[in-house]
Amino acid sequence: MHQRRCKVVCAMHIHGAVNNFLYSASFLNPLNWVKEKLVPSIREKPSQEEVEASKKQAAKEGNRSVFEATPGPLVRQARGKWGLAIPVKKGVHVPNKPHKPRPTAHKYSTANFKISHRKLNMLGRQIAGKPVDYAILQMQFSEKRASSRIMNMLATAKDHAVRYKRLSEPKLVVAESWVSKGPRGPKRLEPRGRGHFGIRTHPNSKLTVVLKEGKTVEEQKKEERARKIRKIVSAAATREDVPIRNPSPTSLGAAVHSEQLWKLAESKFQSFENTAIVRTVELGGSVVHVTTTYAIKATQPGAKVYTIALGLEEKQKTSWLEVKVKGQQTPLDVVHYPLDTSRNFQLLDVALPDVLSLNSTLNLVLETLQTHATFPWPKQASQKEDQALKYQTDLFVLSPYHTGVQRTKVKAPTPRVISYTTPENLQDFTLDAPASKQGATVTYGPYSDIPTSSNNKFIKEHQQPITVHYFHEQPVLEISKLTRTAEISHWGANLNIQDNLVLHNAGPTLKGHFSRLEHQSQSYFKRPAPHALPALTLHLPPGIRNTYYYDLIGNVSTSRLRIAPAAPKNQRASRYSVLELRPRYPILGGWNYTFTLGWDAPLSDSAVYDRSTGKYIVEVPIMTPIPGAVVNSAEVSIVLPEGATGVEFAPPFPAVANRISTHTTYLDSMGRPMLTFEYENLTIMHAQSIFVSYKVPLAAHLRKPFVVGVAFFSVFALAIVGRRINLTIHQKTL
Amino acid sequence: MAPKSSPPAASNVVHSLWKAYSDQTSDRMKFIDAFLVFLMLSGVAQFLYCVLVTDYPFNAFLAGFSSNVGQFVLTASLRSQVNPENKNEFKEVSPERAFADFALGSIVLHFFVYNFLG
Amino acid sequence: MPTAYPLPTNLSPATVANTASLIRIVALALISGAAIASRLFAVINFESIIHEFDPWFNYRATRVLASKGFYEFWNWFDPTAWYPLGRVVGGTLYPGLMATSGVIYNLLHAINLPVDIRNICVLLAPGFSALTAWATYMFTKEMKDASAGLLAAAFIGIVPGYISRSVAGSYDNEAIAIFLLMITFYCWIKALKQGSALFGTVAAVFYFYMVAAWGGYAFITNMIPLHALVLILMGRFSSRLYVAYSSWYAIGTLASMQVPFVGFQPVKTSEHMAALGVFGLLQIVAFAQLVRSHVSSHQFQKLLATGVISIGILGAMAFVLLTYKGWIAPWTGRFYSLWDTGYAKKYIPIIASVSEHQPTAWPSFFMDLQFLVFLFPAGVILCFRELRDEHLFVIIYAVVASYFAGVMVRLMLTLTPVVCVASAVALSTLLDTFVDPTEPEVVDDTRSESGASTISAPGTNGAAPSPTTPATTSKKAKKAAAAAAEHPTTLSDILASSSTKTAKPKGIYGLDTRIMVVLNTICMLAFFVSHCTWVTSSAYSSPSVVLASSNPDGSQHIIDDFREAYYWLRQNTPEDAVVMSWWDYGYQIAGMADRPTLVDNNTWNNTHIATVGKAMSSSEEVAYPILRKHDVSYILVIFGGLIGYSGDDINKFLWMVRIAQGVWPDEVQEPSFFTPQGEYKVDDNASPAMRNSLMYKMSYYRFVDLFGGAQAMDRVRQQQVPKVGPTLDYLDEAFTSENWIVRIYEVKKEDSLGRDLKSANAFAQGKKRKRSKPTTRRRAIL
């Protein structure tokens, strides 16, 4: 962090053509859809304009940030009568034939002002790569001293970029931002105790930004979506009981015959060394967040695959894993080695973004989420007592390479750490105290000069478990089973999602019995028991309709819901509907509670119609993120409309199992295809979406009304015939 | 005086009754009456069996007996409905309709009887 | 002929008839809609939930039926009810209700309509109320005419007396029984009028359905024979009566014996003997008629004398003999309690303890029937005016039902339909007297004017008969002719004489009187409607499972303690944990908590209930062995003292004591639970027996601590609870709901060290006391 000029470059693209999707609900409502089909009018051109129009519309409606430096009309005035706005020679600015190439970037900076470059740099990192509106928003709410100044600077920069450089203003992103030191003022003495003195410097620095027409967030999301859809693998035959082949990258890797991989691995092992490994463990309830930073140095030219080693039980606990280059957003591809039990560790290959030359360095960040990694200790706690958890992990971060220095930080949620193990016989790695605690953090290491550790020998000799015993204030939540059913209805333009959850409090089980008196007094004195869960706050998507929340014996009248309006098209859903979900009784340690939660969402929010292929593409979230809870097993079923064909899907990560079956419901004549995915150990990081695409022919749309109508008329006909017959009988008898 | 004159009186009363019956009633009526008498006899027989021997499968006995009774009353009502003498009582019940009713009633009755036999 | 207001003349009779029928159909449809809609308050105010207590059992049984199929349901033995004993459910319930909703359920699922069985159960009662309206319409149409029928249908559709048992969610037998009652009576009347065996058979089939649906079928079983008997005694015997009655009885009785719960009662118990007797009598009379048609009257006298005498003697002897031999069961207790209201209190406290078995209070009559109460007698009197057989039926029905309604609150239900019918007859007579446009051509000046004025005045204050008298007489002139045609009996000449007596045509002159009376009537109807709506929404549509209070800002606040506690039981206790509670909550625990219960709401075993009562009312030491013997693991009590829920167990406690006393007179004495002054108190001067009783201890355990030193107040009894709360040695407080309404206690197992729990507790507390807190009585941690 001491380099003179730290520069953050974000991936920057010139904005391409508008996507070929039509984001309009009208296509999802079959009536309009049928109309559209029947009347083949020219729809392409208007649709283009529609997109533009809707964007402008959104901008005008103030869905854009409030801190707009130049409000909509002003922009248009500047666009329209540029002559008045900018006093330059005419003809120069005629849009269609400019003399010099149209500028693509606008660079702007603050003056030098009295701030440390290190402090300013944080803001620089924060806004780099963000859309300018978003950056301004960040600055508005940042607590740093410089933030307001940066905000003004950004606003001005944006204004100028729009007025002078005529960059399109909704696309502006902060492409680059860097901090440079200015002249330092005269140093001052700082008197210290005992006749000592220090020297005070008064640094000046400034922040420079480059605004370019980059991708807005919607476009990033759009591309993400497009990428996933490109990855779609066809879902074999629509037969039940036969699972669908949907090979995902990782499982592919696993499929590749293992021996070559091992050979490859052995050969590659020499080509790196870790200058430093820092592992940070953020302890929590049922989910533990582990971040490991590898500072690697290539010891051979042309190295491009780096190998990471995980301990065996660590691997088993890990439910989510991602490798990035430090400071970048896009995750790198990871290939898992086949797991064989003779070696008690697991290797992963990481494909580096670009080939490293000799001695060039790179910082890799490995983020993992561990579930069921902690356990309550003591196992029982009465209503008054605290809840304490234990976390156990290995001392050393394994690596197939030689490691210069390595350190492990274990951060407890509170400073109240009861105990932590001090590892033994580490004299050949470190000389001073092997473990130290300050505040809420327990630090192991630094341990220097560690040989290649991903082999049984090292593990046998040096690897040892370390345990941290700490207090935890929040209840430890587990969803032992989540069953989600998403039903897509085109007639209602509606996406119904219903979850059945089995909630379990995995904290220390309640010792003795529950006393309402205790509970009431605790909540009265604002000292709730740490392992009692009185209520749960969930974030549901915006714009949802008739939410229902009930359990086996009727609906639970104690829950509250604040619904956010649906986000307009081409705007990201910034707000959530907040469901304050209060079970019938406070859930204490070891207690269970089952409930059902469902809602209707407008289909247009989560589905698009791709008119080039005539396919619908629907996005179904796998789970509603429940902060700090782990979902032990989940089963997500997606019910497609009746008569859907050509079903394809792209899950964000491979499922344990998935299948297609037939599901028959409201007045169906042939049943609806139902996709079912099964998952395990989902965490908040897994709250992503499954993309399903399918065709629905017109006949299928019209099937239901036809069948119902036929049924009705047949009933009437029967009634008529019946009357006739009755009459004849009467004639006979009378 | 009743005890003294009753045996002859009763006897000739019965005689006159029988005579009146035999020449006033049409053959169809007589036919129905024969059926009625048969039903009555079988009912009596069953009842005696129940009282004297055993009523062990009670529901079976009930089924048989009540099928007798039911059939009896249905037939009796059929008789009274087709009887030309009380035409004016049954205005909207023509003989055919009466027979249809009779058939339906018997069907329902014997459905339950069958169900009840066990 | 002069008319009061101009009439359109250019209408062909066909058009009139068609429009009339169309209007009738539309009106019926609207009435059905109103009937259903007014019963949905419960769903709108609260939610779609099963109400009260018994419906929870019906709902549970229906779920079994829907999931497992009919045969499983038919021989379903439920081991979790009446815990050690179990209950043969299939043989001890009226399956009609469950079968109905089961059929509907399967029907809907057959056409791929996945409707939840709960919603079907909830909405069954409103649906059938619409059918009831239709049946009442048909019935009343037989009495008078279609317009009266429509009025009756409208009344029965919204009258609170019927709504109280058929709001959405009150999934009980009465929900469909009333419809069956009316349709059966309709078929009976129809069969009687036409003398067709067809309608007799249909009546029998519906009677069978009724028997399968409700224990109150005995009402029909005695009502129809009574009618027949009265007809015979009035010398109105006809072959039509014979046909109708015997076809109904022969088939209906046989059919009713198919229901396992009824079994052989129709031939073995005294309640059903009346029907049998009338049947026999009818046979004899019919035979006599036959004979009479063949022989001379003088001989017939003799035959009749000998025959009737001998058969009468024989029948009486047979009946006495059978009763004596015990082949015919004597009258049951519930039956006695109908005649002697004090009977139940003395001998069957369980029946007496049910609130709906209490005699009816006067206000509830007005609350349930409003102005129909006034119209009802008028209608009955009108039935006397032209006395056809069906009118006789209505009269008998009215008399009997109003007596029963006076005896038991719940029998209000059987009174309501006849009230609606009768008052509809009265009101429609009034209306078509005053709407009928024809004016009498005889212009006799003062009398009828004054008559008219006297008519119009009292129209408001509900004295409906007075205006209707001249009306009916004027009608009677017409009717008499018709009646004379169809009754060759003595009735006709009575009518004729009466009609000749008042032959002078009467009627209403002018528009003003008409308008006044009609307006008054319309006002009454409007008030009636508003009253019904108000009563329904306020009184009758709260599912006593969920209580509603209102926040300071007026918004509704739901008190959901029952379900909270039941669901806790369901989720966090072992599957086979036996829960003991007073029998009121048995069905709810079985339905919502899904746990075995000791006793529940079908109170077939008095001793078992008394055992629970004894355990509740005796001290811990005495109760503990009882609890362990029935291996009870949880006890559930209802305590309203904190928020003032008056229906709690302390208020029911005396009944427990009485019932227990009935079985163990020497161990439980009611007087010992009163203060020396003979008051029922829970405060400082409560009797020792009271304060040691399990119920008292469980209700007030740690209740005082909640007030933190302040004076603890019981909001229900309005008494101050003693400063030192009770302690528990043999029980643990396991769960208490949010507002302390439901409190669940766990029964401790025997002490592991073999000490008795009292000393073990004392020991544990002793250890506690050495450490800091002396005040909190912590339970022993075993």
Side-chain angles (χ1 to χ4, degrees), chain A residues 269-377:
Chain A
F269 280 165
Q270 302 314 319
S271 63
F272 287 100
E273 74 163 351
N274 308 318
T275 51
I277 297 181
V278 177
R279 174 174 57 157
T280 314
V281 181
E282 284 166 15
L283 297 176
S286 49
V287 178
V288 174
H289 191 178
V290 181
T291 314
T292 317
T293 310
Y294 298 85
I296 64 174
K297 181 147 127 288
T299 53
Q300 287 174 0
K304 57 187 303 304
V305 174
Y306 180 80
T307 309
I308 289 175
L310 288 179
L312 203 53
E313 67 276 7
E314 189 182 1
K315 176 70 180 66
Q316 280 146 3
K317 288 176 192 166
T318 300
S319 78
W320 181 80
L321 179 145
E322 189 175 73
V323 184
K324 288 177 184 169
V325 173
K326 187 166 187 176
Q328 289 190 14
Q329 302 306 320
T330 54
L332 307 177
D333 296 352
V334 175
V335 178
H336 289 250
Y337 277 66
L339 189 63
D340 66 348
T341 46
S342 68
R343 310 177 170 77
N344 45 15
F345 55 85
Q346 162 90 17
L347 295 180
L348 328 164
D349 272 353
V350 182
L352 301 182
D354 39 16
V355 179
L356 289 187
S357 58
L358 185 55
N359 288 343
S360 58
T361 66
L362 186 68
N363 286 359
L364 287 182
V365 179
L366 165 69
E367 275 193 61
T368 62
L369 283 190
Q370 299 181 353
T371 59
H372 305 99
T374 65
F375 58 92
W377 193 264

Side-chain angles (χ1 to χ4, degrees), chain C residues 404-648:
Chain C
F404 284 156
V407 173
M408 271 195 195
V409 176
R410 73 183 293 182
L411 291 186
M412 197 71 179
L413 196 60
T414 54
L415 175 63
T416 313
V418 70
V419 168
C420 292
V421 171
S423 36
V425 169
L427 199 60
S428 71
T429 322
L430 174 70
L431 281 179
D432 52 22
T433 311
F434 279 86
V435 176
D436 164 25
T438 60
E439 285 191 336
E441 48 283 278
V442 184
V443 191
D444 71 335
D445 37 15
T446 58
R447 283 192 65 267
S448 54
E449 278 300 341
S450 58
S453 50
T454 48
I455 287 160
S456 57
T460 54
N461 55 14
S466 62
T468 53
T469 35
T472 39
T473 46
S474 68
K475 300 178 66 61
K476 204 164 21 155
K478 299 194 236 37
K479 277 284 170 54
E486 65 191 13
H487 297 286
T489 53
T490 59
L491 170 66
S492 59
D493 40 11
I494 299 171
L495 284 175
S497 61
S498 62
S499 57
T500 44
K501 190 159 74 265
T502 62
K504 189 153 53 59
K506 288 193 173 179
I508 320 296
Y509 292 94
L511 266 180
D512 46 3
T513 51
R514 288 192 166 86
I515 289 173
M516 285 174 70
V517 175
V518 171
L519 278 186
N520 284 323
T521 322
I522 290 174
C523 289
M524 282 202 298
L525 291 173
F527 284 137
F528 178 61
V529 170
S530 63
H531 170 83
C532 290
T533 322
W534 174 74
V535 168
T536 310
S537 62
S538 62
Y540 285 144
S541 55
S542 103
S544 59
V545 180
V546 181
L547 312 172
S549 72
S550 63
N551 293 330
D553 60 356
S555 64
Q556 192 188 38
H557 173 65
I558 299 277
I559 297 177
D560 212 351
D561 281 30
F562 289 99
R563 287 195 291 175
E564 177 186 357
Y566 291 145
Y567 208 61
W568 179 84
L569 271 175
R570 190 189 189 111
Q571 292 292 331
N572 302 311
T573 60
E575 281 288 330
D576 54 356
V578 179
V579 180
M580 181 178 101
S581 73
W582 189 235
W583 60 266
D584 301 12
Y585 311 103
Y587 279 161
Q588 287 186 350
I589 293 174
M592 291 195 248
D594 190 22
R595 291 287 175 269
T597 56
L598 243 54
V599 294
D600 62 25
N601 304 42
N602 88 316
T603 55
W604 63 274
N605 187 336
N606 189 9
T607 322
H608 216 53
I609 293 180
T611 314
V612 174
K614 181 185 172 190
M616 291 288 194
S617 56
S618 52
S619 69
E620 273 188 290
E621 296 75 11
V622 183
Y624 188 67
I626 303 177
L627 300 179
R628 295 298 293 162
K629 223 175 289 164
H630 295 83
D631 45 30
V632 175
S633 37
Y634 291 95
I635 310 180
L636 180 146
V637 294
I638 306 297
F639 171 65
L642 181 57
I643 62 163
Y645 170 63
S646 61
D648 66 349

Side-chain angles (χ1 to χ4, degrees), chain B residues 9 13 16-17 20 24 62 66 69-70 73 76-77 79-81 86 89-90 93 97 101 104 112-113 115-116, chain C residues 194-198 201 238-240 242-243 246 250-251 254-255 257-258 264 279 283 290 294-295 299 302-303:
Chain B
V13 162
S16 59
L17 173 58
Q24 281 175 15
L62 272 182
S66 51
V69 176
V73 293
S77 41
R79 184 193 191 285
S80 61
Q81 281 172 335
N86 38 28
E89 277 202 22
F90 303 96
V93 182
R97 166 88 191 278
D101 291 3
L104 182 91
F112 281 122
V113 167
N115 185 15
F116 199 46
Chain C
Q194 298 190 356
S196 83
L198 169 65
T201 316
S238 68
S239 323
R240 283 186 274 99
Y242 177 82
V243 172
S246 39
I251 298 178
L254 180 59
M257 283 188 288
Q258 313 292 322
F264 298 133
F279 181 65
Q283 304 304 323
L290 182 65
H294 288 300
V295 300
Q299 294 167 319
K302 284 187 182 158
L303 278 182

Side-chain angles (χ1 to χ4, degrees), chain C residues 247-409:
Chain C
S247 56
W248 168 76
Y249 181 78
I251 298 178
T253 311
L254 180 59
S256 68
M257 283 188 288
Q258 313 292 322
V259 181
F261 187 31
V262 175
F264 298 133
Q265 285 178 10
V267 291
K268 286 202 158 188
T269 60
S270 313
E271 284 94 337
H272 302 73
M273 277 308 134
L276 183 56
V278 172
F279 181 65
L281 183 60
L282 213 53
Q283 304 304 323
I284 298 164
V285 176
F287 187 68
Q289 291 282 349
L290 182 65
V291 175
R292 176 198 203 167
S293 66
H294 288 300
V295 300
S296 65
S297 62
H298 147 69
Q299 294 167 319
F300 177 68
Q301 298 291 334
K302 284 187 182 158
L303 278 182
L304 197 59
T306 48
V308 166
I309 289 168
S310 53
I311 289 177
I313 291 170
L314 279 181
M317 278 172 58
F319 184 73
V320 171
L321 180 74
L322 288 177
T323 322
Y324 175 69
K325 293 288 292 289
W327 289 345
I328 298 179
W331 313 104
T332 61
R334 286 175 195 272
F335 185 76
Y336 281 128
S337 60
L338 278 186
W339 307 112
D340 168 12
T341 47
Y343 180 86
K345 235 184 202 48
K346 283 201 292 293
Y347 301 107
I348 329 166
I350 287 186
I351 295 182
S353 71
V354 179
S355 63
E356 64 187 13
H357 289 166
Q358 308 300 336
T360 316
W362 271 110
S364 71
F365 273 103
F366 184 77
M367 175 138 167
D368 283 356
L369 305 172
Q370 217 236 359
F371 85 119
L372 303 184
V373 173
F374 311 131
L375 287 183
F376 174 44
V380 175
I381 290 174
L382 281 178
C383 291
F384 271 110
R385 285 295 166 150
E386 26 122 16
L387 200 58
R388 276 185 276 128
D389 299 353
E390 54 266 31
H391 296 117
L392 208 55
F393 183 80
V394 171
I395 292 165
I396 300 168
Y397 184 4
V399 173
V400 176
S402 39
Y403 171 74
F404 284 156
V407 173
M408 271 195 195
V409 176

Side-chain angles (χ1 to χ4, degrees), chain A residues 373-626:
Chain A
T374 65
F375 58 92
W377 193 264
K379 293 208 167 303
Q380 280 196 332
S382 79
Q383 216 171 330
K384 285 222 189 89
E385 292 164 8
D386 258 327
Q387 110 172 326
L389 304 179
K390 269 192 177 182
Y391 172 74
Q392 189 171 36
T393 182
D394 289 339
L395 176 59
F396 287 107
V397 178
L398 301 182
S399 167
Y401 311 108
H402 173 277
T403 305
V405 59
Q406 140 175 3
R407 153 190 299 128
T408 298
K409 292 184 190 166
V410 185
K411 290 184 181 166
T414 61
R416 307 166 56 207
V417 174
I418 302 171
S419 71
Y420 59 95
T421 49
T422 345
E424 301 303 328
N425 54 39
L426 294 169
Q427 47 282 8
D428 43 6
F429 299 119
T430 175
L431 297 180
D432 48 14
S436 66
K437 166 180 182 298
Q438 79 195 107
T441 311
V442 180
T443 311
Y444 289 92
Y447 307 131
S448 52
D449 184 20
I450 298 166
T452 299
S453 54
S454 69
N455 50 31
N456 294 351
K457 173 169 169 298
F458 178 89
I459 293 175
K460 206 175 285 90
E461 287 173 356
H462 300 295
Q463 188 64 289
Q464 46 188 304
I466 52 174
T467 310
V468 179
H469 190 195
Y470 61 101
F471 282 114
H472 190 59
E473 260 86 11
Q474 283 75 28
V476 184
L477 280 189
E478 262 181 33
I479 310 275
S480 12
K481 179 132 187 63
L482 161 70
T483 319
R484 161 164 290 194
T485 314
E487 199 163 329
I488 302 167
S489 146
H490 280 223
W491 282 103
N494 180 28
L495 172 68
N496 170 281
I497 292 187
Q498 172 168 324
D499 295 350
N500 296 332
L501 296 98
V502 181
L503 195 60
H504 173 67
N505 185 337
T509 52
L510 180 62
K511 191 197 293 171
H513 277 304
F514 171 70
S515 153
R516 175 68 60 170
L517 184 61
E518 300 283 346
H519 183 69
Q520 280 173 340
S521 57
Q522 278 173 345
S523 50
Y524 177 76
F525 293 117
K526 298 279 183 301
R527 272 192 275 93
H531 45 76
L533 175 80
L536 196 61
T537 309
L538 293 184
H539 286 203
L540 305 183
I544 58 179
R545 298 183 300 258
N546 47 35
T547 312
Y548 50 91
Y549 165 44
Y550 61 85
D551 55 22
L552 295 173
I553 57 172
N555 68 349
V556 183
S557 47
T558 45
S559 52
R560 278 171 198 70
L561 176 69
R562 284 195 304 283
I563 294 185
K569 282 283 140 245
N570 304 335
Q571 294 281 317
R572 46 210 272 273
S574 53
R575 290 145 72 201
Y576 289 104
S577 314
V578 179
L579 174 66
E580 181 185 338
L581 182 149
R582 180 172 289 274
R584 291 195 186 278
Y585 46 86
I587 300 173
L588 278 83
W591 285 9
N592 302 320
Y593 183 67
T594 68
F595 62 94
T596 301
L597 168 65
W599 64 84
D600 291 346
L603 188 56
S604 52
D605 286 2
S606 53
V608 298
Y609 173 62
D610 177 357
R611 80 188 319 282
S612 63
T613 60
K615 279 192 163 208
Y616 294 95
I617 297 155
V618 183
E619 170 185 14
V620 177
I622 287 180
M623 61 181 276
T624 309
I626 300 177

